[in-house]
Amino acid sequence: MHHFDVETLTAGRWRNDGGATRQIASRPAGDEDFVWRASIADIDRDGPFSAFPGVDRTLTLLAGDGVRLSCPGVFDRLLERAGEPFAFSGDLALAAELPGGACRVLNIMVRRGRATARVERVTGRVVPPAGHAGVLHVLGGHWQAGTDGPVLAPGQGVWWDADAQAPGGAVAPLSPDATALWADVAPAG
């Protein structure tokens, strides 16, 4: 398992300068034709959202007053509750509107036909299925990866490859207020 802290990840500005992305993981590493990718995006202003043909995406609001994603004739969705995932096709050219100012989102992307992703809010122990990759991002409280792994606080987390196993087999909550987002990335097929 690989530990991350959002605040120490390098932020790269978007080409349209409407935000910045902090990459958690991309597999295979450094490959533009990734199978899966996880990142944190800080959206600073209204504007276009990049299309990713052949990719399925799940966006989850982490902080801020929300973001409205729209694609004329397809959907118009306001993400206003932190921790509530929204899945959509990366083929779509979307517009993003920030009704209450800047926000932060977790962005999970998988290459269609090669992987699938399910993102959910969790409060209990997470045991990654064998052969699945994934990300656990702490929203509240404290968590621990394995029996002697790092204690994770909000804004921190762990990610793992499909061929890795969680230390001690699980990521577990340590406090009664513990909540996290778990992105389970499975091979397609």
Side-chain angles (χ1 to χ4, degrees), residues 3-68:
H3 174 264
F4 68 89
D5 184 321
V6 172
E7 297 308 321
T8 63
L9 297 173
T10 302
R13 294 298 301 172
W14 296 353
R15 280 177 269 172
N16 70 5
D17 206 36
T21 296
R22 298 167 189 263
Q23 184 168 282
I24 296 168
S26 184
R27 301 323 254 174
D31 192 339
E32 286 296 316
D33 187 32
F34 59 83
V35 174
W36 70 275
R37 181 177 160 197
S39 62
I40 302 292
D42 292 308
I43 308 172
D44 299 336
R45 64 177 186 221
D46 298 350
F49 228 55
S50 298
F52 283 88
V55 171
D56 291 323
R57 300 179 71 172
T58 304
L59 231 59
T60 308
L61 181 67
L62 298 174
D65 290 332
V67 58
R68 178 180 299 283

Side-chain angles (χ1 to χ4, degrees), residues 56-60 69 75 77 79 84-90 92 108 117-119:
D56 291 323
R57 300 179 71 172
T58 304
L59 231 59
T60 308
L69 298 177
F75 67 80
R77 175 77 182 261
L79 307 179
E84 210 170 81
F86 175 60
F88 59 94
S89 170
L92 302 171
I108 303 294
R118 185 188 79 239
V119 179

Side-chain angles (χ1 to χ4, degrees), residues 91-158:
D91 297 308
L92 302 171
L94 305 177
E97 179 186 340
L98 303 172
C103 70
R104 177 172 277 182
V105 297
L106 173 66
N107 182 25
I108 303 294
M109 299 192 291
V110 293
R111 185 82 47 200
R112 195 173 304 123
R114 295 175 66 193
T116 61
R118 185 188 79 239
V119 179
E120 63 182 290
R121 184 183 182 118
V122 294
T123 57
R125 190 179 158 166
V126 171
V127 180
H132 290 210
V135 176
L136 184 123
H137 178 274
V138 176
L139 297 173
H142 291 89
W143 293 73
Q144 186 167 26
T147 54
D148 58 356
V151 172
L152 307 169
Q156 298 178 335
V158 290

